Amino acid sequence: MSDTRRMTNTTTASLIETPFGFDSTAAEVIDGIDLSGRQAIVTGGSSGIGVETARALAGAGAEVTLAVRDTDSGDRTATDISSTVNAAVHVGRLELADQASVDAFVANWSGPLDLLINNAGVMGFPELTLTDQGYEMHFATNHLGHFALALGLHDALAAAGDARIVSLSSVGHRRSPVVFDDLNFTSRPYDVGLAYGQSKTANVLFAVEATRRWSSDGITANAVHPGTIADTNLSRNLDADVLAALSTSAPYAESLDASRVRYKTIEQGAATSVLVATSPQLDGIGGRYFEDCNQARVVDPDASTSSGVAAYALDPANANRLWELSLALLGFPQ
C-alpha cells in the first residue's frame, strides 16, 4: 500500500472501478500485494468468509489475529491457515455484544494496527432480543460492538500511518435506515428484516464518519457487501420462518427469489473485503460502499435490483448523528 494519501471522503466523487468483479476470489484480488510487516485483525475470523479473508491476508505476509467468540474454533482455524501459508496467525477472544469483552481485547493489543476487518455479524433473531444493557441484538453486535472496538484501537490504527478499516455491511441495509428515535423497537412492532437492515446501514454510516473524523490520522474506512454466500454461519442456522421474513419483507424481494439469486463461494465472498483492505486503488479513499469488488452506485432503496447503496447510508448528517449517539450509548466522552 502506498504512503501517498489523498484522504478523500468520496461519497460524491467518481466511482472506483477495478479489474475484478462478481466471480473474483480473495486470492485473485490480493495477488502481487506484499503485506509483510503488517498487522491485521479479522473479527469473526474462524468461520465463513472471515476464514478466507484471514487466509488471504496471511498469505500476503500479514500477521493476522482472529478475534472470535469461540477460541477453540479460532485455534483450529489459525493452525489450518498457518500450515497452508506459513504465516503467524493468532487468536483473541471477542464477544462483540459484551463491552467488557471488547475492552479486554483492546487492552491486550499492543503496537500498530494496519488493517481492521470488522467481519463478524449476526442475523435472524425471530423475536426481539436485547442485550443486558437493553440494546437490540443486531444493532448491539453488528454496530455498537465494532464501533467500540474501532474506538478502542484508534491509537493503534493511527500509529500505522495508513491504516484501513473494512466494515461489512449487506444489501440488507436497504431494508431500513437507522431509526434514531426507536433503535430498540420499543414503540414499533419488531421485524427481523428491519432490525438487521438498520444494523447494516449503521455499518456503512460508521465508515463514512470514521473517514471524516480520522483521515487526518491516516485512517480510512469503507463498507462492503460480500454478496450472497451459500454456506456461512450467518445464515445456515436460520429457521424457515426467519428466512421467509427476511426475503418477503425486503423492498427488493423479487431479486431474492432463490431461482434468481447468484450465489458466491466463500472464496468469492471474501474478495471484496480483501480488495478494499489492500488494493492500491483505495490509498487514502474512504466513506464508500463496495460490492462485487467495485464501488456501488446509489439507488432507490425500493429498487428491484439487489445491487446498489441507499443514499441514507452515505448521508454525512446521519453518519455524524449515529457516531454521537453511539458514543453516548457506550458512555464514551463526546
Side-chain angles (χ1 to χ4, degrees), residues 2 12 35 51 70 72 85 97 104 119 135 184 190 197 309 332:
S2 168
T12 59
L35 298 180
V51 175
D70 182 348
D72 289 339
V85 301
N119 168 83
Y135 306 135
N184 302 308
Y190 175 76
V309 58
F332 289 171

Side-chain angles (χ1 to χ4, degrees), residues 1 23 39 84 173 195 206 326:
M1 288 181 282
D23 295 313
Q39 295 284 336
T84 57
H173 82 275
F206 165 79
S326 300

